[in-house]
Amino acid sequence: MTDFRTRWHEATSRVGHTLDSLPKPVRIAGLLVFVAFLYILPNKWFYEYLNIPGVWIPLYTTSNDMAAVLFYCAWIVLLSLGLNVVVGYAGLLDLGFFGFFAVGAYTVALLTSPESKLITEYNWLESPWPWLVTVPIAIALALLSGVLLGAPTLRLRGDYLAIVTLGFAEMIRIVAKNQDWVLNGDRGIPSVAHPPGKWSDGSPIFGFEFKPYYWLLLTVIIIAVFLIRNLSRSRVGRAWVAIREDEDAAEIMGVPTFRFKLWAFAIGAAVGGLSGSLWAGQATFVNSSTFSLENSILVLAAVLLGGAGSIGGAILGGFLVIYIPEWLRSVGDVFGLPEVVSIAGRDYDVSPTSLRYFIFGVLLIVVMIFRPQGLWPNRRRAAELKDRQKEVAVVE
C-alpha cells in the first residue's frame, strides 16, 4: 500500500509540476477553454456525447436532469468555497454553516414573497421587493450574524467552537420550524421571487428551468474564486495561515488573531447568505426542512474531501459529493442491474439508486484513510500534515 501511495504522490506531483511549467498564456487559454466547457455543459446536445472511452458509460445522469444536478453541484461548490475560508484557511471548525445559509434564504423570502406576513398581516411592507434588491440585504444580514456569533465565541477553540456553531444552526432551524409569527413555521413561505431578466421574446429567463440558475451560480462562483484567491494571497490570508498553523505563536508574533478569525467567520457567513438567497430564488419556497444538520455536514465533507485550504479542492469536493451519488443512479440504467433480489423468500432492494449513499460513504472512508489531506490539497496544508505524521512517528 505504501508503494501505491508513493506512486500516486509521484504521479500527482508530476502533473502539478507539468502544469506549473507551462507558459502563462497557455495556462490562461486552457482555463478559458475549461470555463467555456462548464457553460456549455448543461446543454443536452453537448453532454449526451460525453462518455467513458472504450465502454459506453455516460458521464451524464440518466435518472435526473443533468442541468438540475449541475445546479445543485454549483450550489454546494459555492457553500464549500465559503466554508473553506473558515475551516481551510483559518482552521476554525464550523458545524453550523447552514445557519447563515438560512439567514440569506429567509431574508429573500420575507422581502420578495407576496404571501410574506410582513405584507399580508403586519403591513410593514406595501408590496414585495425585487429579488435583486434583497440579495445585498441577505448578504449583509448573514455577515452581521457571523459577526454577532463570532464576537463572543471565537475565543473558543476546537471542539468547543464546533459545539457553539452547531448550536447556532440548530437554533435557527428550530426557531424557523416552530415560530409562526413571521416565518410561518413548517408551512414556510411560498411564491419567492425569481431573479430578473427576459429573453428576446419577452419570456422570463429565470423560471422553473435549472439551466439559467446554473449559469448564474457559475458566474457567481467565478467571481467568488477571484475574490477569495486574492484575499488568501494578501496580508489577511497570511494571517489566517499563521493562525491555523499555531495560534499562540501567531499571537506572540503580533498577529491580532481574534480580529482575523472574525474576518474569516464574517466572510464565510456572507458567502453562505449569498448562497441561500440564490437558492431561494430558484426554489421559490423556503421552510425549515432544508436547513438540517446533514446539509452542514455535507458541506464540511466536501471541503475535507477536496482538500481544506485549497480553492480547487473545495470546488472538486463540492462537485463530487453531489455528482457521484446522482451518477451512481445512472449505472443501474446503463447495465440493466436488478432492482430487487429474493433471498429465502424475502425481497431486498439492491438497486444502485438505493445503495448510492452507501457506496459513496465507502468511497469517502477510503479516500480519508489513504488521502487525509484531500484529493486536491493545498501544498502548504499537505506539508503541514506530512510534518505532523513525522512527529507522531518519532514519538512512537
Side-chain angles (χ1 to χ4, degrees), residues 185-201:
D186 261 348
R187 294 189 299 279
I189 304 173
S191 306
V192 180
H194 293 296
K198 291 184 178 180
W199 297 109
S200 56
D201 61 358

Side-chain angles (χ1 to χ4, degrees), residues 96 99-100 103 145 149 163-173:
F100 305 116
V103 171
S145 303
L149 176 66
I163 292 169
V164 169
T165 54
L166 175 63
F168 166 73
E170 282 299 285
M171 180 185 71
I172 293 280
R173 186 185 65 80

Side-chain angles (χ1 to χ4, degrees), residues 25-44:
V26 175
R27 280 184 284 161
I28 292 175
L31 183 62
L32 291 176
V33 170
F34 180 65
V35 170
F37 167 80
L38 293 177
Y39 275 101
I40 299 172
L41 191 55
N43 293 294
K44 194 173 182 179

Side-chain angles (χ1 to χ4, degrees), residues 38-198:
L38 293 177
Y39 275 101
I40 299 172
L41 191 55
N43 293 294
K44 194 173 182 179
W45 54 264
F46 180 75
Y47 67 69
E48 274 192 334
Y49 292 97
L50 295 177
N51 60 72
I52 296 177
V55 286
W56 195 83
I57 303 178
L59 291 173
Y60 63 91
T61 54
T62 60
S63 299
N64 205 347
D65 180 23
M66 184 66 176
V69 174
L70 288 173
F71 166 77
Y72 288 116
C73 288
W75 170 47
I76 295 296
V77 164
L78 184 59
L79 284 166
S80 301
L81 285 170
L83 188 60
N84 187 49
V85 172
V86 183
V87 176
Y89 289 136
L92 306 170
L93 184 54
D94 184 356
L95 293 180
F97 193 65
F98 243 69
F100 305 116
F101 171 87
V103 171
Y106 267 113
T107 301
V108 169
L110 284 170
L111 296 178
T112 66
S113 171
E115 299 188 35
S116 165
K117 286 190 172 181
L118 298 183
I119 299 172
T120 58
E121 287 194 24
Y122 305 113
N123 298 319
W124 292 353
L125 300 175
E126 291 183 358
S127 61
W129 289 9
W131 180 86
L132 203 56
V133 174
T134 62
V135 172
I137 299 173
I139 296 172
L141 287 179
L143 188 147
L144 181 63
S145 303
V147 172
L148 292 176
L149 176 66
T153 61
L154 283 178
R155 298 189 190 283
L156 302 173
R157 297 185 186 180
D159 300 342
Y160 301 103
L161 179 62
I163 292 169
V164 169
T165 54
L166 175 63
F168 166 73
E170 282 299 285
M171 180 185 71
I172 293 280
R173 186 185 65 80
I174 292 171
V175 168
K177 182 180 175 65
N178 298 320
Q179 197 270 348
D180 196 51
W181 177 58
V182 172
L183 302 182
N184 216 19
D186 261 348
R187 294 189 299 279
I189 304 173
S191 306
V192 180
H194 293 296
K198 291 184 178 180

Side-chain angles (χ1 to χ4, degrees), residues 338-351:
E339 299 281 326
V340 178
V341 295
S342 296
I343 300 175
R346 297 189 62 180
D347 293 336
Y348 294 92
D349 186 352
V350 293
S351 64

Side-chain angles (χ1 to χ4, degrees), residues 287-319:
N287 75 349
S288 62
S289 62
T290 310
F291 315 121
S292 61
L293 174 62
E294 288 82 359
N295 283 322
S296 286
I297 300 298
L298 183 70
V299 180
L300 182 62
V303 173
L304 298 179
L305 175 66
S310 163
I311 291 177
I315 294 172
L316 179 64
F319 174 77

